[in-house]
Amino acid sequence: MSLRLVVLLLVLARCGWAQPVDSRAELNIVQEALESLQAERRVMLRRLDAAERELKTVQETPKVAFAASLGGNGAQKTMSGNKDLIYRDVLTNVGGAYNAATGEFTAPIRGVYYIRFTANSPTDFTMSAVLYKNNNQIQLIAHEQPSGEGSDTASNGAALLLEKGDKLKMVLWHNTQIWDNSNHHSTFSGFLLFPLVDEPPMEFDAQLEMRTLKASMTQAQAENAELKDRLETAEKELKAIRNVPKVAFAASLGGNGLQKTTTGRRKLLYKEVLTNIGEAYNRETGEFTAPVRGVYYIRFTTNAPTDFTMSAVLYKNNNEIQLITHEQPSGEGSDTASNGAALLLEQGDKLSLYLWQNTQIWDNSNHHSTFSGFLLFPM
């Protein structure tokens, strides 16, 4: 309570509300106290307006993230014109913007979205996967010419500015093929990075401001108390939003050579930690543990000589396969494959990468084979 208000209350207690006031000094004290209350109210109104508008923007921004794979059990090929690809095995669809029946993602609001896709196919025939916007604008492409026996993986991704209602889909070009099975080799995913919504200018209502300034002192006190409660509530909620944990990690296998297993699968330990904000990755166990329920973007890259089968398989809680990179032998040389998706994880869920039986992976101090991820938003 301000000093002026204390003085005012003492004066009113001495004079009484119903008694006539015969002192100009006492009238001035009352007038100054009323003006102080009104000024305090205007300051709180401005702060409340700014806090509530920011809070409304945060609350009304939809959470959008999807990841899906072609699924099935074999190759899809077209010899007569282009063919829309339908990614029916949905891994994540927060916000419901992806339609598994049509294979289309529809932007719910204007904003910048990160879109990514991975394509796998045998190398005996041309492979393709082409991202179209609104059925006719090519945005990104993965395209591989035949290279003999074996299989190959290619991926592409970018941050795209989409208008509300823009549609994205994947297309298989004429005389090309793509392959997938239940292990999610060929995927299509994306998420909203941030909205771009223009706010209308705030209009100043002079008459409303004048009526507010002429309100009685008793009413001003009551309104100030209510505004203070709303202000504290809004600022407390904003503080909670701003205090969402920052989680990001990146690590590589490191070492100086090959890891191979011929008897059962083997957990991969990515010991060379490049980033570990939030300390959610454990280099001793090779596990990432989700600190909160939310949508995380997870990605890994695998490198190995092409004389033996290569693999890296992402497991959740040691038994649920989420993503995979897998390459058949293709002769001399080396190859690199990668995969990634936005995944909805519960608090305490653990992610780790495994080397499957009769496969290999390679790395050295230059970080060819990596495992990384970050929290997009909590749920």
Side-chain angles (χ1 to χ4, degrees), residues 252-254 259 267-272 281-287 353:
S252 75
L253 279 176
Q259 295 191 40
K267 182 184 284 188
L268 294 168
L269 302 183
Y270 292 75
K271 290 188 174 292
E272 293 200 13
Y281 175 72
N282 187 332
R283 66 188 298 273
E284 300 302 323
T285 64
E287 291 180 330
L353 282 161

Side-chain angles (χ1 to χ4, degrees), residues 29 38-39 66 80 100 115 175 206 239 247-248 336 345 350 375-376:
I29 291 173
Q38 292 167 344
F66 78 98
S80 57
I115 305 297
N175 278 335
K239 182 179 179 181
V247 181
T336 299
L345 301 180
K350 295 180 182 296
L375 173 64
L376 287 173

